[in-house]
């Protein structure tokens, strides 16, 4: 770290010390809170008197004995408790609180006076140089002074847990409120913490709080970092955000194991796929949805999109179209009335005559008019061309009454206009024609 | 006589400037000036702009700063 940076950091820190040490601590909120506690305590006392004094003490007779079992103390003792004991207690509490308030005032004012130690720029620079020389990695980036502490290993009764490296970060212009503890190796507990005494990069100082503040106010920045490191290396199991065993033997209460990302997650983030029988978490973004048919949630891998309505459905609620193979949900499936196979809407048409749903395989197309019909409605063939024609295209020979198509029936007699089959045409002797010729 | 500053890092009070006889070792200084058990503390000496982990036989110099820090500090909620 070059000298100009050291000077910059030292200057920022010195300015903070100069400002902080002369600024008196505002204890008005504390005093106000204490007064309110006292007032509440007095009200509680009055309330207790009114309530308990209305309760009749119960006295139970012991069978076959003249003695009495007192379930609740007798009236005189009860009265003494109400009128003397509780009142004395609450009065003592009020007195103590008043004394505490006065003591606080005296103490903080003396602290404020005594903390006016001069921290020179040279002193501050020396602190920075010592810090650089003590810890392996000290950086200053974007106004943040960072010190790397390595191999934070905590132990409880059972295990040593290596939490990896951490960075202690401060803004030298406001070190007290800017302290952050950043995990480098991100060794996370099952409950989402990187250190038992660190939550969202905020250190719970505990016993170290007074020492940290004193070090900062007195210009002992090296001692500040040293104390923070000691707090990080100490495991206080009586007051933790999460116990150490959450790193090696987690209870996993209210958690489930995500098969996809192989991590323990909160139950609220749980998605259970009924098809593949696996748990997914929200972070894995399984892309699932509720089946449009049965309503059960399934992951994206197990869901199919209906080719007609484009809704998601599970594999049990879709069928492949018999003709094109596309998946179709129950709502969109169409059954061919001829072959009874399931089809999608694109592979089925209605018969022009009977309106039955006919799949592409069962459809008949009239060679005359190209209309789509079912086989039932195109079961007659022309006597002349032998093609199966629809009802619209059917007609009868006027002579022999045989079924012929309208195309073949176009060769009608020019004179009488009768539609006839070919054989009848050949043998037809038109009377009108003879009359005309005659 | 020389002046040595003692810092206890317990948050109470200010660093104390203590006059000691020249040639006083760190061990003797702590025996006299510090009530706690030195085994529960790490000791660092700030001398001439550097900080070192001093051994008990270290002979204190004028202007040295003896900084004691507990080996364990309980964090808490």
């Amino acid at each position: 770290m070059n000298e100009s940076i050291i000077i910059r950091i030292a200057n920022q820190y010195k300015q903070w010390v100069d400002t902080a040490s002369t600024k008196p601590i505002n204890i008005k909120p504390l005093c106000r809170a204490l007064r309110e506690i006292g007032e509440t305590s007095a009200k509680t006392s009055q309330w207790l008197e009114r309530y308990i004094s209305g309760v009749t003490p119960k006295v139970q007779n012991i069978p076959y004995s003249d003695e009495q079992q007192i379930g609740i103390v007798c009236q005189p003792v009860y009265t003494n408790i109400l009128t003397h004991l509780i009142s004395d207690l609450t009065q003592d509490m009020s007195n103590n609180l008043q004394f505490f308030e006065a003591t606080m005032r005296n103490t903080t004012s003396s602290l404020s006076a005594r903390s006016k130690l001069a921290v020179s720029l040279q002193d501050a620079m020396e602190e920075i140089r010592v810090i650089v020389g003590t810890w392996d990695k000290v950086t200053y980036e974007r106004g943040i002074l960072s010190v790397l502490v390595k191999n934070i290993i905590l132990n409880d009764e059972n295990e040593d847990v290596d939490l990896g490296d951490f960075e202690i970060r401060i803004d030298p212009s406001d070190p007290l409120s800017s302290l952050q503890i950043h995990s480098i190796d991100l060794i996370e507990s099952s409950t989402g913490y990187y250190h038992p005494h660190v939550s969202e990069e905020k250190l719970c100082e505990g016993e170290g709080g007074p020492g940290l503040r004193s070090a900062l106010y007195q210009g002992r920045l090296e001692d500040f970092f040293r104390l923070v490191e000691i707090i990080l290396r100490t495991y206080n199991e009586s007051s933790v955000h999460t116990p150490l065993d959450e790193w090696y033997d987690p209870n996993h209460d209210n958690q489930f194991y995500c098969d996809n990302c192989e991590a323990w997650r909160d139950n609220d983030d749980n998605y259970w796929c009924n098809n593949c029988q696996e748990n997914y978490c929200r972070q894995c973004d399984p892309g699932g949805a509720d089946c449009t048919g049965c309503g059960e949630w399934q992951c994206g891998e197990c869901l199919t999109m209906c080719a007609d309505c484009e809704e998601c459905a599970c594999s049990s609620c879709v069928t492949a179209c018999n003709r094109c193979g596309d998946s179709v949900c129950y709502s969109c499936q169409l059954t061919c009335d001829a072959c009874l196979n399931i089809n999608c809407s694109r592979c089925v048409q209605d018969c022009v005559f009977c309106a039955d749903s006919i799949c592409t395989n069962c459809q008949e197309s009239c060679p005359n008019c190209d209309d789509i019909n079912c086989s039932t409605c195109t079961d007659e063939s022309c006597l002349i061309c032998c093609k199966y024609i629809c009802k619209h295209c059917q007609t009868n020979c006027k002579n022999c009454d045989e079924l012929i198509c309208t195309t073949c029936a176009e060769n009608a007699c020019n004179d009488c206009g009768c539609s006839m089959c070919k054989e009848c045409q050949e043998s037809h002797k038109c009377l009108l024609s003879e009359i005309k010729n005659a | 006589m020389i002046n040595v500053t003692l810092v206890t890092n317990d948050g109470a009070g200010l660093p104390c400037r203590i006059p000691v006889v020249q040639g006083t070792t760190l061990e003797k200084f702590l025996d006299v000036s510090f009530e706690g058990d030195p085994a529960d503390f790490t000791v660092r000496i700030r001398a001439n702009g550097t900080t070192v982990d001093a051994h008990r036989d270290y002979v204190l110099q004028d202007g040295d700063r003896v900084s004691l820090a507990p080996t364990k500090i309980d964090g808490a909620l």
Side-chain angles (χ1 to χ4, degrees):
Chain A
M1 186 176 287
N2 65 47
E3 198 66 13
S4 64
I5 293 178
I6 290 174
I7 293 172
R8 187 190 306 174
I9 299 170
N11 207 25
Q12 288 177 343
Y13 176 54
K14 178 188 177 326
Q15 287 180 6
W16 179 83
V17 173
D18 291 344
T19 306
S21 62
T22 56
K23 187 178 177 184
I25 299 172
N26 183 13
I27 63 167
K28 283 184 181 176
L30 176 62
C31 295
R32 191 183 313 119
L34 291 173
R35 274 197 300 277
E36 288 175 359
I37 290 170
E39 288 167 5
T40 305
S41 167
K43 287 178 185 175
T44 304
S45 173
Q46 293 174 358
W47 182 83
L48 282 173
E49 285 186 33
R50 289 191 200 116
Y51 180 73
I52 296 178
S53 64
V55 175
T56 304
K58 294 182 181 178
V59 179
Q60 185 178 15
N61 295 323
I62 299 175
Y64 313 112
S65 170
D66 293 332
E67 294 178 1
Q68 288 180 329
Q69 178 75 36
I70 301 175
I72 300 177
V73 296
C74 61
Q75 184 67 48
V77 175
Y78 222 87
T79 304
N80 276 331
I81 291 175
L82 285 174
T83 57
H84 299 294
L85 180 61
I86 293 179
S87 297
D88 288 342
L89 284 174
T90 51
Q91 185 59 48
D92 286 344
M93 188 188 302
S94 294
N95 292 339
N96 288 335
L97 289 170
Q98 289 174 8
F99 176 75
F100 180 68
E101 178 183 340
T103 304
M104 280 294 296
R105 287 184 187 277
N106 293 336
T107 304
T108 51
S109 62
S110 64
L111 275 176
S112 178
R114 292 172 66 194
S115 65
K116 288 180 183 174
L117 293 175
V119 176
S120 69
L121 184 60
Q122 290 300 323
D123 292 338
M125 289 173 63
E126 181 182 302
E127 292 292 319
I128 304 301
R129 290 194 192 99
V130 168
I131 289 169
V132 173
T134 302
W135 282 275
D136 291 341
K137 184 180 175 187
V138 179
T139 58
Y140 181 72
E141 290 177 9
R142 297 193 185 96
I144 301 297
L145 178 64
S146 298
V147 169
L148 180 70
V149 291
K150 292 183 175 180
N151 299 327
I152 301 294
I153 301 175
L154 301 181
N155 54 70
D156 58 8
E157 298 167 348
N158 304 310
E159 292 274 336
D160 289 344
V161 180
D162 186 353
L163 301 178
D165 299 344
F166 286 80
E167 269 187 356
I168 303 171
R169 297 174 173 177
I170 61 166
D171 178 353
S173 62
D174 186 12
L176 193 59
S177 59
S178 65
L179 173 63
Q180 283 188 322
I181 309 298
H182 179 71
S183 173
I184 302 297
D185 297 311
L186 301 176
I187 299 173
E188 194 178 8
S189 72
S190 64
T191 48
Y193 291 91
Y194 299 115
H195 190 284
H197 300 302
V198 177
S199 173
E200 297 180 348
E201 299 197 338
K202 289 294 182 188
L203 175 68
C204 293
E205 302 156 358
E207 293 180 352
L212 291 175
R213 282 186 285 279
S214 291
L216 283 177
Y217 287 134
Q218 294 163 14
R220 295 182 287 110
L221 198 56
E222 184 224 350
D223 282 343
F224 171 81
F225 281 103
R226 189 173 156 210
L227 293 175
V228 172
E229 181 176 1
I230 294 172
I231 295 172
L232 290 176
R233 294 190 186 281
T234 305
Y235 178 57
N236 175 21
E237 63 180 351
S238 64
S239 183
V240 291
H241 288 294
T242 192
L244 205 59
D245 60 9
E246 289 296 333
W247 272 266
Y248 61 85
D249 185 22
N251 290 328
H252 300 303
D253 292 338
N254 300 319
Q255 288 190 321
F256 73 98
Y257 188 74
C258 173
D259 295 315
N260 194 40
C261 61
E262 297 180 349
W264 287 93
R265 304 289 183 193
D266 290 336
N267 278 341
D268 292 341
D269 290 344
N270 185 17
Y271 293 91
W272 168 254
C273 179
N274 210 36
N275 187 50
C276 58
Q277 302 282 302
E278 286 194 355
N279 265 323
Y280 294 93
C281 68
R282 193 191 305 273
Q283 285 86 340
C284 288
D285 190 20
D290 293 333
C291 170
T292 188
C294 59
E296 296 218 349
W297 189 91
Q298 291 196 2
C299 67
E301 297 282 331
C302 297
L303 281 176
T304 308
M305 185 179 288
C306 173
D308 282 346
C309 64
E310 296 183 351
E311 294 285 341
C312 292
C314 67
S315 55
S316 303
C317 295
V318 294
T319 307
C321 172
N322 186 59
R323 177 73 176 85
C324 65
D326 284 350
S327 296
V328 192
C329 69
Y330 286 150
S331 302
C332 298
Q333 290 173 1
L334 295 170
T335 305
C336 174
D337 289 318
C339 62
L340 301 180
N341 285 323
I342 304 294
N343 298 273
C344 67
S345 61
R346 292 177 304 283
C347 296
V348 166
Q349 271 186 286
D350 292 340
C351 173
V352 171
F353 288 102
C354 63
D356 280 354
S357 295
I358 306 295
C359 71
T360 313
N361 289 337
C362 299
Q363 288 172 0
E364 301 279 352
S365 177
C366 176
N368 273 12
C369 61
D370 291 330
D371 277 348
I372 300 298
N373 305 277
C374 62
S375 56
T376 306
C377 297
T378 53
D379 58 350
E380 301 285 350
S381 62
C382 172
L383 180 67
I384 300 174
C385 62
C386 299
K387 293 179 182 176
Y388 283 91
I389 49 178
C390 68
K391 289 183 170 62
H392 282 156
C393 298
Q394 292 173 0
T395 188
N396 297 92
C397 173
K398 292 294 188 253
N399 193 43
C400 61
D401 204 33
E402 289 290 336
L403 187 76
I404 57 177
C405 68
T406 51
T407 303
C408 295
E410 287 175 357
N411 297 324
C413 175
N414 293 331
D415 294 315
C416 64
C418 292
S419 300
M420 288 174 283
C421 63
K422 190 174 181 181
E423 286 183 8
C424 292
Q425 281 179 10
E426 288 172 354
S427 60
H428 174 61
K429 290 182 180 175
C430 184
L431 293 175
L432 284 176
S433 177
E434 287 180 3
I435 294 172
K436 281 185 182 176
N437 291 337
Chain B
M1 297 291 280
I2 59 174
N3 288 315
V4 175
T5 303
L6 176 65
V7 178
T8 55
N9 277 306
D10 56 2
L14 297 167
C16 300
R17 183 165 291 184
I18 302 171
V20 296
V21 174
Q22 203 154 8
T24 301
T25 62
L26 176 63
E27 183 179 12
K28 191 167 183 181
F29 172 73
L30 292 176
D31 284 343
V32 172
S33 310
F34 183 60
E35 292 182 355
D37 183 359
D40 295 333
F41 290 81
T42 58
V43 183
R44 291 170 71 83
I45 305 285
R46 177 76 67 87
N48 298 324
T50 60
T51 300
V52 294
D53 291 322
H55 53 82
R56 303 296 179 182
D57 295 332
Y58 173 80
V59 176
L60 294 168
Q61 305 299 317
D62 186 36
D64 282 354
R65 187 172 91 192
V66 179
S67 177
L68 299 167
T71 53
K72 293 187 178 182
I73 301 175
D74 286 338
L77 294 179

